Amino acid sequence: MNTAPVRPAIQGSLDALPLFIPALPFAFVFGVVVAEAGIPEWLGWSSSPIIFGGAIQVTLFTLIGEGASVAAAVSAALIVGARHMLYSVTLAPRFQNQPGWFRWVGSYVLIDQVFVLSQIKPIEEPVAFRRYFLGAGFTFWTLWMISTALGVVLGPAIPPEWGVEFAAPVLFVSLMMAASDRRDKLAAAALAMAVTYLLASLPNRAGILIAVICSVAVMLLSQRWKSR
Amino acid sequence: MITLAILLTGVGSYAMRAFFIFALARYAFPPLLLRALEYVAPTVMAALVISMLTTPEGELAAGLPELLGLICAAFAAKTTGNHILALIAGMGTFWLIGAII
């Protein structure tokens, strides 16, 4: 075990690397969606720096490919990404003792994996937190720019029968376990799974947000019940 | 039109990420809210897993290989705390069971 202190930015970068592996097949799925929607490669790729959110980008181009209006495609994509508002609330206390520029830049790289890393490794010291966050965020950003560029050029490079897309739910289960450092958090996760399944037919995956809010409310009520 | 859609989605998704970070920059968080926020990470991850395994019509798009793969990944993550090992356990089980059945 190496006990030498690693600089926070490098640590963030190193922690982000393994989490990127499942995003790689997703970048190729993205390439296929852009090709099927008949969008020029460079225009499709430009959504990576402009939007920087895999599921949001895929939703947008899937709907455009199906002939949806701009308003319909944009609003569906934003509903898919609505969970980022929860990340924004959750991280707001950690951004309070930070400089203004970090609020602007940090918000840009606030994606699922960066959020979970910041929750799994809570760093109290503001400068270290900032460097860790940016190290993880921009490592992910750089890799996403490169891999989506490859994705739109190469398209379906991986045979679909390999099922590599399954790596995404596998990673998120692993992140869920890492974020559940207490039993009640694991219970909340199980509840969220059940509610999401019940609401899975809601349009644009709106069930995700509802399931999270329901589960959090139930956990708070049960805390209050126990403390009586 | 596609350019407009990309720009609008970009502005919208940035606004969703930045909104509360800016809006609550000087807000004193009550303890109840801070306790609630502790549950956001595990529940969002859980909800994402299920939404990836269901069709837009609400049907489960996962069989035994997926189910056992996720259980092995969860177990590996809990015992080792290593995402790479969890990925190997999950994908390995998924491919193995898929090849057998």
Side-chain angles (χ1 to χ4, degrees):
Chain A
M1 217 48 180
N2 183 9
T3 49
V6 182
R7 295 171 66 195
I10 294 171
Q11 187 63 55
S13 188
L14 290 175
D15 287 352
L17 281 177
L19 305 194
F20 190 78
I21 298 171
L24 204 63
F26 200 73
F28 286 92
V29 171
F30 168 77
V32 175
V33 169
V34 169
E36 282 177 355
I39 295 166
E41 285 95 347
W42 61 270
L43 186 60
W45 179 83
S46 76
S47 68
S48 284
I50 295 172
I51 300 172
F52 190 42
I56 304 173
Q57 292 169 252
V58 166
T59 307
L60 182 70
F61 293 137
T62 304
L63 287 172
I64 288 175
E66 288 170 2
S69 69
V70 169
V74 170
S75 52
L78 291 180
I79 295 168
V80 167
R83 63 180 180 279
H84 292 90
M85 293 168 77
L86 291 170
Y87 302 161
S88 190
V89 180
T90 307
L91 282 174
R94 312 300 311 279
F95 274 73
Q96 284 181 338
N97 50 9
Q98 296 288 349
W101 66 264
F102 180 57
R103 289 188 193 129
W104 290 101
V105 179
S107 298
Y108 175 57
V109 290
L110 178 50
I111 57 168
D112 296 313
Q113 292 88 340
V114 175
F115 168 70
V116 181
L117 280 178
S118 75
Q119 297 298 105
I120 297 170
K121 283 205 180 160
I123 303 170
E124 286 305 321
E125 208 277 307
V127 177
F129 171 81
R130 182 164 75 234
R131 290 184 179 158
Y132 182 83
F133 194 93
L134 292 175
F138 280 95
T139 300
F140 238 98
W141 186 87
T142 308
L143 293 170
W144 184 245
M145 294 312 125
I146 297 169
S147 58
T148 48
L150 290 174
V152 292
V153 174
L154 300 176
I158 308 164
E161 60 270 21
W162 289 6
V164 284
E165 289 84 7
F166 184 60
V170 169
L171 172 75
F172 283 101
V173 160
S174 182
L175 289 171
M176 178 187 91
M177 297 309 282
S180 304
D181 55 348
R182 293 195 319 247
R183 270 213 178 151
D184 57 330
K185 291 187 186 175
L186 203 55
L191 186 61
M193 282 185 150
V195 179
T196 309
Y197 180 58
L198 290 176
L199 301 177
S201 59
L202 287 183
N204 303 323
R205 304 295 183 192
I208 293 175
L209 207 60
I210 301 171
V212 170
I213 292 167
C214 285
S215 313
V216 173
V218 168
M219 294 318 290
L220 287 182
L221 285 173
S222 81
Q223 276 185 2
R224 174 169 271 198
W225 186 257
K226 275 182 202 152
S227 64
R228 263 187 198 164
Chain B
M1 287 312 263
I2 294 166
T3 311
L4 178 70
I6 294 172
L7 288 174
L8 284 176
T9 309
V11 170
S13 61
Y14 182 80
M16 290 194 295
R17 290 164 177 161
F19 182 78
F20 289 108
I21 285 175
F22 280 91
L24 304 177
R26 301 202 196 307
Y27 174 74
F29 278 69
L32 180 73
L33 182 55
L34 288 173
R35 281 211 305 279
L37 296 178
E38 289 188 336
Y39 295 108
V40 170
T43 51
V44 176
M45 293 305 114
L48 282 174
V49 171
I50 297 301
S51 85
M52 286 170 186
L53 297 176
T54 48
T55 65
E57 290 76 37
E59 268 150 60
L60 198 63
L64 195 63
E66 283 89 354
L67 203 66
L68 291 177
L70 292 182
I71 291 170
C72 287
F75 185 74
K78 199 73 208 166
T79 49
T80 68
N82 184 314
H83 298 300
I84 291 283
L85 290 179
L87 201 60
I88 293 170
M91 292 307 285
T93 310
F94 167 67
W95 279 322
L96 189 70
I97 304 294
I100 292 170
I101 62 171

